[in-house]
Structure formats: C-alpha cells, structure tokens
Amino acid sequence: MADRYRYDPKEIEPRWQRVWADERTWEVSNEPDGREKAYVLVMLPYPSGEPHIGHLKVYSVGDAVAHFRRRQGFRVLNPMGYDAFGLPAENHAISTGQHPRQSTDEAIAAFRQQFHEWGMSIDWSRELATHDPSYYRWTQWIFLQLFEHGLAYRKEAAVKWCPNDQTVLANEQVIDGRCERCGHEVEVRQLEQWFFRITDYADRLLDDLDTIEWPEHVKTMQRNWIGRSEGAEVVFRCEELDIDYPVFTTRPDTLFGATFFVMAPEHPDVFRLVAGTEYEQAAHEYVNHALNESNEERGAADKEKTGVFLGRYVVNPVNGERLPMYVADYVLMEYGTGAIMAVPAHDERDHEFAKRFGLPIREVVAGGEDVQAQAYTGEGPLVNSHPDFDGLPNREALQRIVEWLDREGKGHASVNYRLRDWLLSRQRYWGCPIPIIHCERCGIVPVPEEDLPVVLPDIADYAPKGRSPLAAAEDWVNVTCPSCGGPARRETDTMDTFVDSSWYFLRYTDAHNDEAAWDPAVVDRWMPVDQYIGGVEHAILHLMYARFFTKALADLGHLNIQEPFARLFTQGMITRSGAKMSKSRGNVISPQSYVERYGADTARCYILFIGPPDQDADWSDTGVEGVHRFLGRLWRMSAEVADTTGDEPVPEELSADDLELLRKAHWAIEKVTNDMAGRFAFNTAIAAIMELTNTVSKQREEGDPSTGALRFALATAASLLFPFAPHVATDAYERLTGRRVWEEPWPTADHRYLERETYELVCQVNGKVRDRVQAATGASREELEALCLSASRVRAHVDGKDVVKVVVVPERLVNVVVR
RNA sequence: GCGGCUGUGGUGGAAUUGGUAGACACGCAGGCUUCAGGUGCCUGUGGGCUUUACGCUCGUGGAGGUUCGAGUCCUCUCAGCCGCACCA
C-alpha cells in the first residue's frame, strides 16, 4: 500500500504541537466567561537531569483529565512550574563548580522541551520556577506574614542534623534515623533554628481531612503523622526536691496501677535529681551512653529495656504512694513531657521494664489473664483502685478520675500530638533566603516588605561548613538595621524547599502579579484546586505543609479557603521487571527513547493503558508495540476512509451493519465518559476505544456499512481517544470531519442506540449457566421464566426433577432451582 | 505491634450496585501476504475429562460461612507491598 497511509507520528506530532503553540490554544484567561472553572494540577517537578518515566505517567494522567474537562465545557487551568531550589543542584555545584542556577536552568529547559514534545496541554503563560526572584520574593513575603503573626519563630532546640549534608532536617525528612536525601545517619544537635508553628493547626489539619476527597490511605498517613492522643496530664510531685513533674497519659484510668516513674535520658532534671548522691555516677554513665546511641539502635523495638534508678521518689497524686524514679531510654523527650508514670500491669513496655528490674505489677483493670506474666491492655472494670472507682468500666472510670484530678488541681484532661513544629531553616546555599536581619541592638528584625526580594547572592564556594555558605558573602551579610540604622547581619540560613512548594498553586492563578503574591479576587476564582495529581511520596510532607500554609494564609485574611486540594489522586509507580527503576539496578528506561521511537501518543497511551493509574505497573516493551499498532490502525483507517469517501452523513435508513457501528460507537461514548468521570479508569476507557476500532475494522472487511456510519464511528473513536493521544486523534478527526477535535464538545451517548429490542437472557439451573436465549426487552417475569424453562439445554437439566424455585432478574438472567 | 493496600490465565489486567469470570492487550500456536526477514491481516488460546458435544467438570492465594447465585458480602488464615512504630 502507498506510503501515504503509513502512520507517521514524527510528522503528525510536531505539526499539531506547532498549531497549539502558535495559537496558544491552552492558555486560559482569569476573566470569567460563563464557564465553570476546573483547576487541574499536577505536582510540579523537581528539575534535575531529564524527565523520567514517572513524569510521563503523572503528566499523562493530568493532561487526560484537563482535556476531558475542557471538552465537557469547563474553563480549565492546567499550569506548569519547577521546584527549582534544593540539595541535588547544590551538591552538583559542589562537585563540578557549576553554579546551581546554571544546572537547574538547563534541567528546566530539558523538562520544558519534553513537555512540549509530549504534547501536554499546558498554559505556558503561567510558567514559574521557585528559584526565580520574582517568585521567591513572595515566598519571603509569606514568611514575613507568618513571622509577624507569631507563626514563624526562632528557638534553640535539639534538632536532627545530617553530618554529610551539613544541615538540619525536618522531622519529616528523617527516615529510620537517616537523612532522607543522602541516607547518612542523623545526629542530634542543640541549635538555634527557624520553625513554623504548624502544631497550632494540628486539630484543624486533622478535622478538615473529613472535608476533602482524598484517598483513604493518604488521609490515614496524615492522621497517623499528626498522631492526636487524648488523655490527661497528671502531676507527680518529688517532695525531696519540691518539684512537680507533669506526665501525659492516655490511660488515667490506670493511675492506681502506677508502680514506678520514668524520665527520658534527655530530661533536663535527671542530673539535678542525682546531684551529689550515690546514684550520680551511674545515672551519668547511663545518660551518656543513651545519648551516644544512634536513633536506630535506641529505637529498635525488640531491644531489651534498660535504665537506672535515680534514688528519688515521686508521689502518686491519686493515692499518695511513693514511686521510685528511673531514667530509661524507652521514654522519649520529644513526646509528652519527657516523663511517664509506669503502669506495668497495663502497658507492655512498662511491664517489660518492671520484670527486668523486679518492680511490682498491680492489676487495676480486670479482664486479663495474669498480669504478672503479661500486660493487659484491654477494657474491663476497675479493681484495686479506690472504693469510688472500683467496679466501674474503665472507660467511665477514666472520665471520673480526670474530673477528680481537675477538682483537686492535680491534673486535667489533655491532648497530645506526635506532630512537631516545622523546622524550616537550612544551612545551605541553594534555597530561598530567609528575609531576616539580626541587629545587636534590636534583635531579630524582619526585612521591610519594600526591600523584598532578598536576592540570593552569588558565591564562590558552595561546600557546607556547618554554617550556611552564604555567611561567606560578607558584602551581602553586612547591612544596616532597618529599624535602628546600626550595623547588622543578614540571616544566612535558607528555607527548606518545601516552603517554596507550599504555595505555588496559588501563584499560578496570578503568576505575573508584581504588586502582590496574588490578587485575592483572582485566587478566589480558581481555588481550590479541583483535581490534584501526584505521587504518594508526598502524602505527608508536601501535602501537610501546603494545607498548613493555606489555613494560616486564610487566617491572615489572604485566602478564602481552608483546604487547597479538593480532590487528590495519587498515581502508582512504573516498575521495570517488577523492581523500582534506579540507576544502580540499571533498569531505568527513558521516556524520550520511546517518544522518539513510537511517538508521544503511543508512550502516553500505553502508560495509561497498562493498568489502573493509581497502582504500580510494570513497563513492557511488547505492550508498547501493541498500543502503537492500535493507534496506527485507527489513523490508517481514518485516513483511508477520509480519502476514499465523500462527506456523506449517517443515513436515515440504517442497515444492520450501520446499526452495529452506531451502537458500538454510542456504547464506547458511554463507557469512556463513565470511566473518566467516575474514576480514573483510563485503561478500560482505552480498551473500549480499541473495541470500537475493532468493530469498524471488522465491518470494513466483512460488512457493508454506509460511509456515513463508518465516518461517524471512526470520528467518535478519534474524539474519545483525544485526551490520551491528542496528536493522532486530532489528525484523524480533522481528516474525517474537517474540524478540530479540541473545539468539539465531549460527545454524549444517544441512549436510543444503547437500548436494544432483544437481549441475551442467561438461563441458569442451580446457579450454573446452561443456555442463553434471546428475550424481548421489557418482557414480564412470567414470560422470561417460560422462555428459560422452554430452552432445550435447560430442560435437559430440569426434566425429571422438582422445580423448587425460579429466580428472575429482568434484563439479565433466570435461575431455576431444582432438586 | 498498629494502620492501609494487593492477591484473578503463560503476562499486564477486565468484571461500577452480589447475577454469563477472564473484556482489552501482550505472549504463544497455526494460516494468508512476502524471495526472505520484518510489517500488515485472519484464526485459535484458563485447567481437566470424555461419548469432540460448543458437552461435562474444576477454576479468582487457602479454609469455612451467608445466598437461588460470591472474584464481589462475613469469619478465620496465608503471602507480598506501603506507611507509622519504645508516642506513654
């Protein structure tokens, strides 16, 4: 056959990409035009090297949603930007001497070009990069807003320090005691750092999860991370030293079962308690040992309990008992008050410790088997406690005991969170400068708003030295105090890159605003993001921080929403031979190699066809070829039909072959629409278009359909395919109809073609399919029953037996129950 | 340990509320086209059994249960993945 009908993505794709770029097809105005808005957002990429296969997947999903919504009549915002600050670019600079800005800008150029080559329908007029002063000027402005309202503060704290990257880390960036970035073991250091007061928002971050449509597992991860525990704070008094020690407990009902008291090794009072006593040396040795132990060693769950007696006692406020005090590393300074009451009968850790140190174990909640042998953590009535509470179910006793503590001034109901404040300062170069000036006289002084941005200066040496490399930029560091005019120094720490990405979705709405971070009226028109799409790896960090920023900015009057992302979709990973792609495994596949070989349409379509997009999927080279063949078949048939037939309409009088084509076409419209609207079932949507294409192919070979019906079926296939493979779909559609498919409304199924006069009635005997017969749509139950019973293969299984029951499901099946 | 997810042919997966298990695709086998390879197209393809009938039977990790009917619901259990984890 002539070359004319060879599917050539290398010709088709650039041709349409040029049209979209020249006509700025995907740009959208901020001015309302009567259409409802839809903000479709894919998490912005971190530009490093070239896009990988995960980028192809996530942007293919986002683009399909954007196209679908546009053609459904929505005004769609689908922007793109780059999360451009961060350690990889800086580490690259340290090893090569190349300025991080240069390597970052090169990566951005590569990303931008590939997104174009993939045919993504992005509104490029709103493109942003977080390392651009016109962007981070407003990151600094937000920092100052939070600072001025007490939500950003500086304090000395025991922080996680990565000795390799020479920087502090957020709690969230420490995985199993190791640096998330480089994997090096993390140390604890006492340093003065900047924090955001995210803990103030713990309850709202928790409660508002109920208001958003997110995958349950992501919500669960956030709930666990916030880690809200309800209980009571109870005060234990050390009478010898006249000090009160409050503890947090979720089980105040077990207060009468407390038999000892434990402090964390980091607790500031440990040394004071033992000072000058015979226990001093042992306590010091123990604490030093515990603090030198790595987090990993200390955190091992199966590790034996250790600790030492401090020679002191505290008084249990509920019964006046004197409890011996210990220091033990199973108590954590960073949770609760750094000290606990120990109830070995009803807490496994305390039980283990008590066994090891021969401490008494007193049952106060009945229901366990033998608390001497094993802690009982279940429910039950109180025993061995106090006549006022004994016999009460422990839940009820808990309430009553807390009320009693409150009346006596010995405690009160309390809530504790696992969530810590967000440590945002980094002693690194390639980040957004913190707009603060330290003045000897005035202390911490914010940079005046009109002086923003504080531009990141160029420096010669990026290597980390335990303080920010920026400190070396003397000209930049030394300034006059904006408050008193005296000598002062700039803050040299930079911000965690998660600060940059915690508000970028707001900037897209008003990306060129030089007067403000955004115009509140414009932001109102677009926010919240209707569909956010990205990887689960951001389930905690980015998604929690962005929610916190949104709430804080709303409280400060800059936003009118409480949640930034109304719906969230998290896509699964693409694996290769069942394993995560990595350079060390050597199983990395480059999306570009497939785009060059098969075209972007094939690569995009395959990645959506491979399986449900929220699940992990294994890349298969032969699978790609299957999709390529399908696209080629659809294009070739469209081109041939367009060239060899006239512009005939679908005829009034339909032949049986025409009817089959129209039915399949309308069935596919219905199927694809439902698969895209209700869930992101792109794989079954594409399968439906394949079925339609196969039907067309079969009709052309074997049937005698009218050219009108043929054109309609093919144009429908192209139209439905457009969100997944925009170039080939556009080209095929234009050949068939002379029109541009993206300007066409999304097709709607004509239900007349979906309803049939007859259908295949499944005939079962005892739940087993025995026959299938044609039944008239709308036939009565009696008719269906008779039809089934008269079927020959049904009779073979029914004759000679008693019919016990007949179940009729109209439009589906009849089940005859025999004995 | 706690929480979440997944388990279906040789492979990826389909089956939206309990109602024909295996759509669609890959792979494989056979055929057509071709000097040949490739491309393209057609046919077949869960296992077993036999009387080869489009017939029976088994079959959705395993074992029970509910139901006329279970991949789908319930109970128990196994395997794998992810998150959190000495959080009081």
Side-chain angles (χ1 to χ4, degrees):
Chain A
M1 202 33 158
D3 216 34
R4 179 178 175 77
Y5 296 116
R6 192 174 62 88
Y7 168 48
D8 183 9
K10 277 198 163 56
E11 186 277 322
I12 296 170
E13 296 185 355
R15 180 156 46 84
W16 289 108
Q17 283 160 14
R18 217 167 300 125
V19 171
W20 297 328
D22 289 350
E23 301 186 5
R24 300 163 171 257
T25 311
W26 314 119
E27 289 184 19
V28 62
S29 154
N30 280 340
E31 297 312 312
D33 59 8
R35 290 179 297 168
E36 207 180 315
K37 69 96 181 177
Y39 190 170
V40 178
L41 182 63
V42 180
M43 290 178 185
L44 86 176
Y46 180 83
S48 171
E50 294 203 348
H52 54 73
I53 204 82
H55 291 113
L56 179 65
K57 178 167 179 177
V58 76
Y59 294 108
S60 297
V61 169
D63 213 45
V65 173
H67 275 314
F68 179 60
R69 291 294 174 211
R70 275 189 204 102
R71 291 189 51 206
Q72 280 192 317
F74 289 88
R75 196 161 54 95
V76 169
L77 176 55
N78 183 214
M80 179 59 72
Y82 310 94
D83 188 16
F85 276 134
L87 277 179
E90 182 166 342
N91 288 338
H92 178 79
I94 293 162
S95 59
T96 67
Q98 189 184 36
H99 195 290
R101 187 181 300 116
Q102 195 186 334
S103 59
T104 300
D105 286 345
E106 280 168 17
I108 287 175
F111 272 64
R112 184 189 293 124
Q113 192 195 335
Q114 294 205 13
F115 292 153
H116 273 110
E117 286 172 13
W118 296 351
M120 296 297 170
S121 63
I122 290 159
D123 178 349
W124 289 105
S125 72
R126 297 164 188 266
E127 188 183 25
L128 58 79
T130 60
H131 71 313
D132 191 320
S134 70
Y135 179 86
Y136 70 66
R137 168 185 183 182
W138 303 110
T139 308
Q140 293 171 341
W141 175 79
I142 292 171
F143 176 91
L144 292 178
Q145 285 290 306
L146 297 178
F147 175 74
E148 278 156 27
H149 292 85
L151 291 171
Y153 66 95
R154 191 171 160 86
K155 76 161 186 199
E156 185 173 294
V159 296
K160 305 283 167 33
W161 171 268
C162 174
N164 183 48
D165 288 339
Q166 294 272 303
T167 184
V168 294
L169 300 168
N171 265 17
E172 289 83 345
Q173 288 164 329
V174 180
I175 312 289
D176 290 335
R178 289 174 179 277
C179 172
E180 177 191 58
R181 283 249 173 258
C182 69
H184 200 282
E185 210 162 87
V186 163
E187 296 171 1
V188 174
R189 286 198 182 181
Q190 287 285 331
L191 291 170
E192 203 166 278
Q193 298 292 335
W194 284 97
F195 292 87
F196 284 138
R197 212 177 286 282
I198 190 172
T199 51
D200 273 12
Y201 286 78
D203 269 325
R204 284 164 66 188
L205 289 168
L206 192 64
D207 293 344
D208 288 353
L209 286 173
D210 295 334
T211 68
I212 47 184
E213 280 182 61
W214 284 22
E216 208 44 51
H217 66 278
V218 176
K219 289 189 183 183
T220 304
M221 279 193 238
Q222 293 221 342
R223 287 190 187 106
N224 290 344
W225 193 260
I226 295 167
R228 182 188 154 100
S229 301
E230 286 184 32
E233 200 165 289
V234 185
V235 180
F236 287 71
R237 186 170 185 77
C238 176
E239 292 183 323
E240 295 104 309
L241 295 178
D242 224 16
I243 311 174
D244 280 342
Y245 288 110
V247 302
F248 174 75
T249 176
T250 53
R251 295 294 304 275
D253 51 324
T254 64
L255 259 169
F256 290 91
T259 56
F260 57 104
F261 188 92
V262 192
M263 302 183 100
E266 295 88 348
H267 198 292
D269 276 9
V270 169
F271 292 154
R272 181 175 166 193
L273 285 161
V274 293
T277 73
E278 57 181 295
Y279 301 97
E280 187 166 13
Q281 199 191 339
H284 273 260
E285 279 170 15
Y286 181 78
V287 168
N288 284 338
H289 175 73
L291 295 185
N292 283 328
E293 219 173 11
S294 77
N295 276 10
E296 219 169 337
E297 286 164 337
R298 187 172 160 185
D302 51 0
K303 187 191 156 194
E304 277 207 3
K305 292 281 173 289
T306 58
V308 295
F309 180 46
L310 296 173
R312 301 284 185 185
Y313 294 83
V314 286
V315 173
N316 185 341
V318 294
N319 56 14
E321 278 181 21
R322 279 162 56 84
L323 308 179
M325 298 177 81
Y326 285 79
V327 57
D329 65 3
Y330 81 93
V331 175
L332 310 175
M333 191 60 216
E334 61 263 28
Y335 187 78
T337 62
I340 62 155
M341 67 166 195
V343 184
H346 305 292
D347 180 283
E348 279 158 21
R349 297 151 298 173
D350 297 345
H351 190 274
E352 211 184 303
F353 192 88
K355 278 290 185 192
R356 190 102 201 282
F357 288 83
L359 294 159
I361 298 171
R362 185 195 305 148
E363 178 180 52
V364 291
V365 177
E369 290 195 353
D370 175 12
V371 295
Q372 299 304 322
Q374 199 183 4
Y376 174 66
T377 54
E379 314 282 312
L382 248 60
V383 292
N384 304 323
S385 294
H386 185 276
D388 288 355
F389 307 119
D390 280 339
L392 289 175
N394 66 307
R395 290 276 143 208
E396 193 183 330
L398 188 153
Q399 300 295 330
R400 303 266 291 269
I401 290 172
V402 172
E403 284 161 21
W404 180 86
L405 286 168
D406 211 2
R407 274 201 306 278
E408 300 287 317
K410 292 174 174 173
H412 53 86
S414 171
V415 176
N416 235 284
Y417 301 91
R418 212 185 75 102
L419 184 71
R420 309 257 72 88
D421 273 343
W422 172 9
L423 198 170
L424 71 112
S425 41
R426 297 289 181 272
Q427 293 69 51
R428 298 296 299 240
Y429 169 72
W430 190 233
C432 174
I434 294 174
I436 288 290
I437 289 167
H438 298 277
C439 169
E440 276 177 33
R441 203 173 329 163
C442 313
I444 294 175
V445 182
V447 172
E449 220 176 280
E450 59 272 20
D451 292 349
L452 297 182
V454 175
V455 177
L456 185 66
D458 285 346
I459 56 165
D461 182 7
Y462 308 105
K465 299 163 190 70
R467 59 170 195 171
S468 171
L470 279 178
E474 285 292 325
D475 290 352
W476 179 82
V477 170
N478 292 308
V479 288
T480 53
C481 171
S483 175
C484 70
R489 292 177 66 80
R490 286 194 189 278
E491 170 68 60
T492 56
D493 283 0
T494 53
M495 295 188 211
D496 180 3
T497 52
F498 279 105
V499 180
D500 308 324
S501 58
S502 291
W503 72 280
Y504 76 104
F505 45 89
L506 302 170
R507 183 65 179 173
Y508 280 141
T509 66
D510 201 10
H512 302 294
N513 195 328
D514 291 334
E515 309 292 314
W518 57 79
D519 176 344
V522 170
V523 145
D524 266 1
R525 262 175 244 160
W526 287 111
M527 289 297 290
V529 172
D530 296 278
Q531 182 65 61
Y532 199 32
I533 299 160
V536 237
E537 64 271 22
H538 295 108
I540 296 170
L541 299 170
H542 165 61
L543 290 170
M544 186 85 79
Y545 294 151
R547 295 181 61 219
F548 159 61
F549 261 44
T550 300
K551 289 177 190 304
L553 290 165
D555 287 354
L556 304 185
H558 301 301
L559 292 176
N560 281 315
I561 45 158
Q562 285 298 318
E563 286 291 336
F565 314 123
R567 291 184 74 195
L568 173 69
F569 179 85
T570 54
Q571 96 277 12
M573 219 175 20
I574 298 285
T575 58
R576 177 76 163 164
S577 317
K580 190 172 176 171
M581 288 183 202
S582 68
K583 281 179 192 149
S584 56
R585 279 196 192 83
N587 63 347
V588 178
I589 57 169
S590 135
Q592 206 56 12
S593 66
Y594 288 88
V595 170
E596 273 163 23
R597 184 155 175 203
Y598 300 103
D601 284 334
T602 296
R604 291 177 59 169
C605 217
Y606 171 65
I607 218 163
L608 297 177
F609 180 66
I610 192 167
D614 55 332
Q615 285 174 26
D616 290 352
D618 208 59
W619 184 274
S620 138
D621 284 348
T622 51
V624 181
E625 286 176 15
V627 169
H628 188 67
R629 278 199 287 273
F630 155 66
L631 296 182
R633 206 157 49 234
L634 176 57
W635 183 86
R636 196 175 321 109
M637 281 197 288
S638 300
E640 284 173 11
V641 167
D643 280 2
T644 54
T645 67
D647 193 13
E648 295 90 350
V650 177
E652 297 279 322
E653 289 288 321
L654 296 175
S655 69
D657 288 343
D658 287 348
L659 195 59
E660 190 186 333
L661 277 176
L662 293 192
R663 276 195 179 134
K664 197 68 186 181
H666 285 280
W667 166 85
I669 292 169
E670 183 83 352
K671 171 80 179 149
V672 173
T673 307
N674 289 339
D675 284 352
M676 296 198 68
R679 41 192 199 145
F680 287 171
F682 306 122
N683 53 332
T684 52
I686 293 167
I689 304 168
M690 287 176 172
E691 283 194 54
L692 172 56
T693 309
N694 291 345
T695 301
V696 172
S697 171
K698 195 182 112 215
Q699 280 297 338
R700 282 188 79 208
E701 295 289 324
E702 299 166 17
D704 184 24
S706 67
T707 55
L710 216 46
R711 277 173 180 272
F712 175 79
L714 278 169
T716 300
S719 174
L720 296 173
L721 184 68
F722 173 71
F724 316 115
H727 315 85
V728 64
T730 296
D731 205 61
Y733 194 87
E734 200 211 28
R735 282 162 186 269
L736 289 161
T737 67
R739 296 194 302 272
R740 294 170 148 188
V741 68
W742 67 83
E743 291 169 359
E744 302 279 308
W746 188 253
T748 49
D750 186 336
H751 285 256
R752 282 176 309 177
Y753 293 106
L754 300 180
E755 290 153 13
R756 313 194 60 149
E757 286 162 20
T758 63
Y759 62 95
E760 197 173 68
L761 180 73
V762 170
C763 302
Q764 296 182 333
V765 177
N766 287 349
K768 290 199 169 85
V769 180
R770 295 302 180 185
D771 208 346
R772 298 177 174 93
V773 296
Q774 288 299 311
T777 304
S780 70
R781 291 171 162 273
E782 292 73 19
E783 284 169 314
L784 294 174
E785 183 175 335
L787 202 57
C788 175
L789 285 168
S790 65
S792 60
R793 283 200 288 276
V794 171
R795 281 221 304 275
H797 287 90
V798 170
D799 283 352
K801 293 177 180 148
D802 289 341
V803 174
V804 180
K805 184 177 179 180
V806 178
V807 181
V808 181
V809 184
E811 317 298 311
R812 270 199 200 276
L813 57 79
V814 175
N815 186 16
V816 182
V817 185
V818 298
R819 200 156 33 206

